Amino acid sequence: DAKTTQPTSMDCAEGRAANLPCNHSTISGNEYVYWYRQIHSQGPQYIIHGLKNNETNEMASLIITEDRKSSTLILPHATLRDTAVYYCIVRVAFTGNQFYFGTGTSLTVIP
Amino acid sequence: DAGVIQSPRHEVTEMGQEVTLRCKPISGHDYLFWYRQTMMRGLELLIYFNNNVPIDDSGMPEDRFSAKMPNASFSTLKIQPSEPRDSAVYFCASRRDRARETQYFGPGTRLLVL
């Protein structure tokens, strides 16, 4: 599975968009980008995933660059409850294999 | 559905004691994963099962750790004997099948070994 690089921490003002970047320059053609988050004292929670097209769901949007070497998770209107560690994971889909969570980005939403 | 259920939520024990952690996956899910999380090492996969069969246990730290899944609705992670360095949060997660990637995590068991 391709390695990912994320900033250690970020701040975002409440109500503003939170843009969380992830670099995955060694991604291969059959690897998907997944995002999970972990709110303090809870288990990780799935957010969104994509292959090469931008994706949107009720939680967030995922923007993947054309060369697929980086992506951005967008929380359109961050709330205090979005304060969490956000993990960007790149892996081959449908293999049944594990996720490597890495260290993630600690997002703090500021009132 | 109640989601993934883990018990106990907190466990404090003394070094040398046996510890058993329990997990009930979401009904109908074929995959079950056990993770351990510490400040130093982050979230690590210990073992995962597919249709009750252990597939990859390469993350299990040593022989003191064992995991079983006697049926589709129950799994245990046992540490015997426990050591202080085993103190961590242990998460169980389940996934529906090979085609559906999302893993659903339980609330975790916070283990402290004194």
Side-chain angles (χ1 to χ4, degrees):
Chain A
D1 291 343
K3 181 179 178 179
T4 62
T5 304
Q6 299 178 253
T8 302
S9 63
M10 292 180 63
D11 293 337
C12 176
E14 187 178 18
R16 305 296 292 269
N19 297 284
L20 292 94
C22 179
N23 287 321
H24 31 80
S25 58
T26 60
I27 193 170
S28 59
N30 61 348
E31 289 182 313
Y32 283 67
V33 180
Y34 294 82
W35 284 84
Y36 277 72
R37 74 178 183 184
Q38 187 172 22
I39 296 170
H40 182 62
S41 298
Q42 298 183 21
Q45 176 190 24
Y46 167 82
I47 302 173
I48 198 167
H49 76 280
L51 181 62
K52 53 184 176 181
N53 297 321
N54 297 337
E55 302 287 344
T56 296
N57 63 20
E58 65 278 5
M59 290 182 69
S61 294
L62 174 61
I63 309 299
I64 303 173
T65 58
E66 191 169 343
D67 64 7
R68 302 209 322 122
K69 293 185 176 182
S70 65
S71 61
T72 301
L73 178 74
I74 301 173
L75 308 178
H77 305 286
T79 71
L80 298 180
R81 288 177 295 180
D82 292 323
T83 293
V85 177
Y86 288 77
Y87 297 98
C88 170
I89 303 158
V90 173
R91 66 184 289 271
V92 178
F94 316 123
T95 60
N97 290 340
Q98 64 216 36
F99 284 81
Y100 294 98
F101 277 82
T103 55
T105 295
S106 178
L107 174 69
T108 301
V109 180
I110 302 169
Chain B
D1 200 313
V4 175
I5 298 173
Q6 291 187 246
S7 65
R9 294 292 307 275
H10 302 270
E11 177 83 23
V12 180
T13 189
E14 292 186 344
M15 182 174 63
Q17 297 297 306
E18 178 179 294
V19 174
T20 299
L21 311 180
R22 297 173 176 79
C23 175
K24 176 179 169 54
I26 295 172
S27 177
H29 281 198
D30 293 342
Y31 287 83
L32 184 140
F33 303 80
W34 281 102
Y35 289 87
R36 176 174 70 175
Q37 186 170 37
T38 62
M39 288 293 293
M40 291 294 295
R41 300 174 68 91
L43 195 61
E44 306 172 278
L45 179 70
L46 300 178
I47 185 172
Y48 79 92
F49 295 82
N50 178 214
N51 292 322
N52 313 338
V53 176
I55 303 301
D56 184 355
D57 64 355
S58 59
M60 295 285 264
E62 48 197 271
D63 293 346
R64 298 185 297 107
F65 285 69
S66 62
K68 295 182 180 180
M69 193 164 186
N71 57 63
S73 60
F74 183 65
S75 177
T76 60
L77 177 68
K78 187 174 293 186
I79 308 172
Q80 167 63 19
S82 60
E83 297 182 1
R85 60 191 169 125
D86 301 329
S87 297
V89 181
Y90 291 81
F91 289 103
C92 175
S94 69
R95 166 183 163 183
R96 178 169 293 278
D97 53 39
R98 188 181 181 86
R100 278 165 278 201
E101 291 281 10
T102 303
Q103 292 188 24
Y104 297 88
F105 283 76
T109 295
R110 282 152 184 77
L111 172 65
L112 177 61
V113 183
L114 301 174

